[in-house]
Amino acid sequence: MNISLTKLEQLYQLPFNELIKKSHDVYRRHHTINNIHLCGSLSIKTGNCPEDCAYCPQSVHYQTDVSKQALLDCNDILNIALRAKTHGVTHFCLGAAWRHVPKGNTFQKVLEIVEQVNRIGLQVCCSMGSVSEEQTEALFEAGCSTYNYNLDTSPEFYSNIITTRPFESRYQILQMIRKSKLKISCGGILGMGESIADRLKLIYLISQLSPQPEMVPLNLLVAIKGTPLEHEPFIDPFEYVRIIALARIAMPQTIIAMAAGRHQLSFETQALAFFSGANAIYIGERILITPTPDLNADFNMLKKLGMKAHENNLDIRQ
Ligand code: SAM
Ligand code: SF4
């Protein structure tokens, strides 16, 4: 049975060590300890997005330093994907600053990109905004295994962050994707000024999807100049680890990823997050448009911790 919101609230109140001991036990029961899923990502279309997500430098509503870029050429994408593969990445996310996945010729180009990236042996995840049922079908047929569609925050806090779309429609589309053949990656961003209750509600709602998402990326806000959240203070790292622990307890089989903003965490905090049940990271030059830690530093950290890359990543179709 899925976890209740009350149970999540009780767990959150536990002393830190008790909470992470519980989540570590859940993690151990359901996963191969010390194996980490390595994910890569690329922004294939950058900027000019009509949505007004307050954290996002790609929104047309804010003046930021992000350079706009039309849909990248398939060969350029393939080269970057191949490089990621040589680093051990097996799950590759193609992100695009679109409100909806486009139709017509552009969609045909997207399908070709998906097919080519899948053909080099990477599991393809698409993160391209809202998507129709027919498009989920076509993406799946082209070789996409997962669709990323984040809820970002609680329904109560949502309108403080995004006004161009309501939370309810986001949740409905998520449920439609859940019914498609695609796996789901659904997470949020922590540290946008939301309360602890908002964070718990986010984890609760994500965990209510049936079946639960295959992957939950937990981003930390990267406060970017020019966005309304540029001066937002960084979240207390212990609070981040607590949310990782709750996500692990609420979704025992899900892959919990430390996603955007990981470069702002110390190795020690990341080690605590791994202990608490985080079992995926995004590596490479960037995670879409936000920075990632230096690749060698990441490999050193994993080595020090005795962790290695999962060979058969994410247990989803090749
Ligand atoms: N436009 C699509 C959408 O929003 O679904 C996909 C691309 S969007 C860049 C993918 C995700 O990146 C967002 O859902 C958000 O969670 C994350 N993101 C964007 N800017 C961020 C920031 N400044 N800090 C942390 N996460 C961020
Ligand atoms: Fe657009 Fe996605 Fe950025 Fe929101 S997060 S502004 S939808 S690219």
Side-chain angles (χ1 to χ4, degrees), residues 43 45 49 51 53-58 93-100 126-130 147-152 162 165 170 187-190 192 217-224 227 229 259-261 264 287-290:
S43 180
K45 184 268 172 187
C49 180
E51 304 282 20
C53 311
Y55 51 79
C56 186
Q58 302 199 68
C93 180
L94 301 168
W98 283 316
R99 170 181 277 167
H100 306 290
C126 290
S127 178
M128 303 177 174
S130 307
Y147 202 83
N148 167 261
Y149 201 62
N150 294 331
L151 285 181
D152 283 335
I162 302 154
R165 61 172 187 244
R170 191 86 176 164
I189 308 182
L190 305 169
M192 301 190 290
L218 291 173
N219 299 303
L220 290 153
L221 174 73
V222 181
I224 298 172
T227 64
L229 298 185
Q264 301 167 111
I287 163 163
L288 302 183
I289 37 76
T290 59

Side-chain angles (χ1 to χ4, degrees), residues 11-157:
L11 286 166
Y12 194 86
Q13 297 309 321
L14 287 175
F16 185 76
N17 284 334
E18 269 182 62
L19 173 60
I20 67 171
K21 161 78 169 67
K22 272 187 198 294
S23 65
H24 183 76
D25 290 345
V26 173
Y27 177 36
R28 241 171 213 280
R29 272 201 299 281
H30 294 272
H31 299 267
T32 311
I33 290 287
N34 300 319
N35 273 17
I36 185 102
H37 298 277
L38 296 184
C39 310
S41 76
L42 176 66
S43 180
I44 64 167
K45 184 268 172 187
T46 308
N48 249 338
C49 180
E51 304 282 20
D52 70 349
C53 311
Y55 51 79
C56 186
Q58 302 199 68
S59 165
V60 80
H61 301 265
Y62 317 125
Q63 288 272 322
T64 68
D65 293 339
V66 165
S67 342
K68 298 173 182 60
Q69 169 75 62
L71 185 60
L72 291 176
D73 180 74
C74 190
N75 282 335
D76 295 340
I77 296 171
L78 268 186
N79 285 337
I80 295 169
L82 273 167
R83 196 159 69 230
K85 195 173 178 223
T86 62
H87 294 141
V89 161
T90 48
H91 175 92
F92 196 75
C93 180
L94 301 168
W98 283 316
R99 170 181 277 167
H100 306 290
V101 175
K103 297 193 170 108
N105 277 350
T106 315
F107 188 52
Q108 291 313 311
K109 282 188 194 156
V110 168
L111 294 179
E112 192 198 327
I113 293 165
V114 167
E115 198 179 324
Q116 299 283 332
V117 176
N118 182 238
R119 196 173 287 166
I120 61 171
L122 286 170
Q123 295 160 353
V124 180
C125 172
C126 290
S127 178
M128 303 177 174
S130 307
V131 60
S132 70
E133 215 174 315
E134 299 77 56
Q135 286 173 324
T136 61
E137 193 71 34
L139 285 168
F140 180 80
E141 293 307 326
C144 172
S145 28
T146 309
Y147 202 83
N148 167 261
Y149 201 62
N150 294 331
L151 285 181
D152 283 335
T153 191
S154 72
E156 292 77 13
F157 193 65

Side-chain angles (χ1 to χ4, degrees), residues 17 36 43 98 118 130 151 158 170 177 195 201 215 242 246 249 258 281 307-308:
N17 284 334
I36 185 102
S43 180
W98 283 316
N118 182 238
S130 307
L151 285 181
Y158 205 76
R170 191 86 176 164
I177 305 171
S195 67
K201 189 74 173 284
M215 188 165 181
R242 277 182 182 272
L246 288 188
I249 296 170
M258 280 197 269
I281 54 172
M307 300 180 81
K308 60 180 191 325

